[in-house]
Amino acid sequence: MGHSLTSLIVQLQALRFMVRQDTGRAEQTIDEMLVVARQGLQDISNSVHALADDASFSGKTALNALLSRWKPHPEFVA
């Protein structure tokens, strides 16, 4: 998921310039970004369902596991 978000951030930053210079390429980039966003959402949904189905994995444990893997990347913030 981190890779997907990083990709979206980079593409959004580039899109600011593409819109002014090449609208066709900007539209293509938007389509590509939508694919990445939809796949990321599907990945999250699959993970949540897998965790919900695992009786040995409590909600608190799942949340702690997700939080422990999350590391902010301030260099990607616009």
Side-chain angles (χ1 to χ4, degrees):
M1 190 62 222
H3 175 72
S4 295
L5 291 174
T6 300
S7 174
L8 288 171
I9 290 168
V10 169
Q11 288 179 331
L12 280 167
Q13 289 173 331
L15 192 58
R16 287 181 176 158
F17 301 101
M18 275 188 246
V19 167
R20 293 183 207 125
Q21 296 176 356
D22 186 351
T23 56
R25 178 69 182 129
E27 287 182 23
Q28 182 181 354
T29 298
I30 290 169
D31 291 340
E32 293 167 1
M33 291 170 64
L34 286 169
V35 169
V36 170
R38 287 183 179 119
Q39 184 59 53
L41 184 58
Q42 185 62 51
D43 291 346
I44 289 173
S45 179
N46 292 342
S47 295
V48 168
H49 287 288
L51 291 174
D53 292 341
D54 185 351
S56 68
F57 210 70
S58 76
K60 184 177 179 182
T61 303
L63 182 58
N64 285 333
L66 288 171
L67 290 173
S68 71
R69 287 186 274 170
W70 180 75
K71 292 182 174 66
H73 296 281
E75 68 274 13
F76 294 119
V77 176

